[in-house]
Amino acid sequence: MIKYDDVYKIGRIGRPHGVKGEVTLRFADDVFDRTGSDYVILAVDGILVPFFMEEYRFSGSETALVKFCGVDTKDRASALTGCDVYFPRNLADDTDGELSLAALVGFDIVDAGTGKAIGRVEAIDDSTANVLLVTEDGKMIPAADEIITDIDPKGKTITARLPEGLLDI
């Protein structure tokens, strides 16, 4: 059984494209550029299910058209509309040490100076030039090289050296 701790969200299935089972996938992670995986995981009625891809092609910088094995009609494709799409963390970890920002969701942030827990990453805010790691309690930590000193994919921790007063903002 696949657990949510073993995956991270990379996008969401949109509407069907055509009548042969193709769907639109809106993604927020460049995992397709970094790995050769032939499957993704969809949350179907709250259950994580692997779906193998027959083919996919990009239709924009954040959109792909995907044909899943066994999804051959518009009706079957429609049933997937709105499903969140996830990617296995273990496959993302095998990409030459490069983790995407989306893969950091669920990681714990620890203060490099004190060793104290700051919070768990709930979301990534990349709506501005300064990307922020947003914790479950709303703290915003810049995802800058000057602040993030270490990322441990196995331990799912991010070590950050925070400027004084940053958490008081």
Side-chain angles (χ1 to χ4, degrees), residues 101 123-134 139-148 166 169:
L101 287 170
I124 306 297
D125 180 352
D126 61 356
S127 61
T128 66
N130 297 318
V131 176
L132 301 169
L133 305 175
V134 182
K139 295 176 186 142
M140 295 189 181
I141 312 298
D145 291 339
E146 302 81 32
I147 293 176
I148 305 299
L166 179 69
I169 297 175

Side-chain angles (χ1 to χ4, degrees), residues 82-151:
C83 288
D84 287 333
V85 181
Y86 295 86
F87 195 76
R89 287 187 189 276
N90 66 326
L91 295 180
D93 293 347
D94 294 338
T95 57
D96 298 331
E98 284 186 44
L99 281 177
S100 69
L101 287 170
L104 299 178
V105 172
F107 278 45
D108 292 316
I109 303 175
V110 177
D111 186 293
T114 65
K116 290 184 180 181
I118 296 169
R120 180 166 286 171
V121 179
E122 180 179 80
I124 306 297
D125 180 352
D126 61 356
S127 61
T128 66
N130 297 318
V131 176
L132 301 169
L133 305 175
V134 182
T135 65
E136 292 171 326
D137 62 353
K139 295 176 186 142
M140 295 189 181
I141 312 298
D145 291 339
E146 302 81 32
I147 293 176
I148 305 299
T149 60
D150 185 52
I151 298 175

Side-chain angles (χ1 to χ4, degrees), residues 47-100:
I47 299 170
L48 295 174
V49 181
F51 276 78
F52 287 84
M53 298 178 284
E54 279 184 28
E55 63 181 348
Y56 69 88
R57 64 186 189 280
F58 294 102
S59 65
S61 63
E62 296 176 353
T63 307
L65 299 175
V66 180
K67 173 72 174 73
F68 292 114
C69 296
V71 179
D72 297 324
T73 66
K74 184 176 182 178
D75 288 340
R76 285 190 176 173
S78 292
L80 300 177
T81 298
C83 288
D84 287 333
V85 181
Y86 295 86
F87 195 76
R89 287 187 189 276
N90 66 326
L91 295 180
D93 293 347
D94 294 338
T95 57
D96 298 331
E98 284 186 44
L99 281 177
S100 69

Side-chain angles (χ1 to χ4, degrees), residues 143-169:
D145 291 339
E146 302 81 32
I147 293 176
I148 305 299
T149 60
D150 185 52
I151 298 175
D152 176 8
K154 301 288 185 223
K156 292 177 65 177
T157 59
I158 300 168
T159 305
R161 186 166 310 284
L162 302 178
E164 191 168 327
L166 179 69
L167 296 179
D168 299 328
I169 297 175

